[in-house]
Amino acid sequence: MHVDVAGWIWTATLVGLGAILLFDLAIVARRPHEPSIKESTIWVTVYVGLALLFGLFVLAKWGGNYAGEFYAGWLTEYSLSVDNLFVFVIILSRFKVPRQYQQKVLLIGIVLALIMRGGFIALGSAAISRFSWVFYIFAAFLVYTAVKLAMQGETDESDFKENPLIRWSRRVLPMTPQYQESRLTARDERGRLHMTPMIVVLIAIGTTDLIFALDSIPAIFGLTSEPYLVFTANVFALMGLRQLYFLIGGLLDRLVYLSVGLAVVLGFIGVKLFLEALADNNLPFINGGEHVSWAPHIGIELSLAVIIGTLAITTVASLVKSRRDARAEAAEADKSHKVS
């Protein structure tokens, strides 16, 4: 059984979400600034509330199982987006983007991410509908990503490397030496058009978004195969990410176990996908091309419980460790002060 999404529902969803993003863009364009904690909190609360309300719409329209799939997908994508903020912080710091213009960079980056993820979702849906063995590839990729995340540990500045496209743009594009507010182009005293360093920042954000999409799309397809739910969960996870960046920028350093928690979530989804691939198996070199009857089905209720539980434990453990480390550092500093 699949979600039967009428054309008018798709249209209304796209128009509504597009209007919200345009409204967000209009605010940034009208008054570039660094949002306050209060402003960021209000916006993040609004976007989280919209996601929760949309889940209730899915519940009323298609039932609890699909609502659970949406919430599980949204939570997973939102958690991955928070992890992505680490890299955004590094990029904006590395390129010394003024704080008042960071909102515009982040919003454009989010729009780019939505476009790229939309393409990946379309390709993934088409592949899954024709080739069930694609789940094996997704499962292997998620387990590999989980292991890499677990071994990587905390994200720091050394994790960001300028890719060839960034280095090429620095070398080839005519560039102004300084930012020209948030503009992408500017003219010199002779009237010649030059790019500003902001274009390099957007290239860095865009290519990073592409890499993130490669991780996140297989993850959500492990929770739901419904394109409508995959798309809306991704959009709601990305909406409000700009304000979340300013709200928890200082908190990011304290989420020391976030990578471990995400590794557990992605590993769990990878195993879930592998078991589903076995249950629907048609590859001739596995069980003679027959379905594997012993492969258990992991329901969305258990998936949602594992995701929520893992993220909750990860957050609490991170904050406890950060608090203990801060106390230890303060005690050490006090001891050194007394000795001196």
Side-chain angles (χ1 to χ4, degrees), residues 12-66:
T13 302
L14 292 172
V15 170
L17 295 176
I20 294 172
L21 286 174
L22 287 175
F23 178 71
D24 213 351
L25 182 61
I27 292 176
V28 174
R30 188 182 74 244
R31 190 170 66 91
H33 67 290
E34 179 183 348
S36 65
I37 296 295
K38 179 180 178 181
E39 179 184 346
S40 298
T41 301
I42 292 173
W43 277 104
V44 170
T45 303
V46 167
Y47 282 127
V48 170
L50 287 174
L52 295 176
L53 287 175
F54 184 81
L56 293 179
F57 163 73
V58 175
L59 174 66
K61 185 70 177 176
W62 295 294
N65 189 64
Y66 290 119

Side-chain angles (χ1 to χ4, degrees), residues 78-86 241 244 248 252 255 258:
Y78 202 66
S79 303
L80 288 169
S81 296
V82 172
D83 192 44
N84 298 349
L85 286 181
F86 280 105
L241 191 60
L244 190 65
I248 67 171
L252 288 176
L255 297 177
L258 180 60

